[in-house]
Amino acid sequence: RTHADSVTQMESHVTMSEGALLTINCTYSATTIAYPALFWYVQYPGEGLQLLLKAVKANDKVSNKGFEATYNKEATSFNLEKASIQDSDSAVYYCALGDTVAETAGGAEHKL
């Protein structure tokens, strides 16, 4: 099947100082899924992909390891934030969406 569902991350690579506020914007378009599940994955150097955050309904605010994101259905966004970034947070961050029923998913990446 062909789907018109997608996520967009504007920046592809960013360099930040320790202690800075991190915000990675992620907007989504879901034309075939009424309420998509939204995800943030992280891949640290030399490691596999790990699930960082998952939200399944509008206004869900989720957090893990100092990272947080809110499922904003009105703004169609799921922005990743961390109050004080550390060197150990250097990784590739992937925003993704998926149907909670079907096995289809799509994503985009952000290198930090």
Side-chain angles (χ1 to χ4, degrees):
R1 296 183 297 175
T2 301
H3 291 274
D5 306 315
S6 64
V7 292
T8 302
Q9 292 171 238
M10 298 308 293
E11 311 88 352
S12 62
H13 187 271
V14 67
T15 302
M16 301 182 73
S17 300
E18 262 199 319
L21 169 66
L22 170 71
T23 301
I24 304 176
N25 296 314
C26 175
T27 58
Y28 69 91
S29 173
T31 58
T32 67
I33 306 170
Y35 292 95
L38 299 173
F39 308 86
W40 276 102
Y41 288 89
V42 60
Q43 187 170 26
Y44 296 102
E47 297 185 19
L49 208 59
Q50 301 173 35
L51 177 62
L52 182 62
L53 299 172
K54 175 184 178 180
V56 296
K57 65 180 189 292
N59 302 316
D60 268 358
K61 185 173 185 177
V62 292
S63 61
N64 183 26
K65 299 179 181 178
F67 291 91
E68 64 178 39
T70 300
Y71 187 150
N72 189 329
K73 184 161 174 59
E74 288 186 2
T76 61
S77 67
F78 191 53
N79 301 332
L80 183 68
E81 296 183 342
K82 187 172 185 185
S84 182
I85 204 76
Q86 303 299 314
D87 284 345
S88 58
D89 295 316
S90 293
V92 182
Y93 293 84
Y94 296 89
C95 180
L97 67 76
D99 191 333
T100 54
V101 177
E103 66 281 359
T104 57
E109 72 176 57
H110 184 104
K111 294 181 182 178
L112 177 66

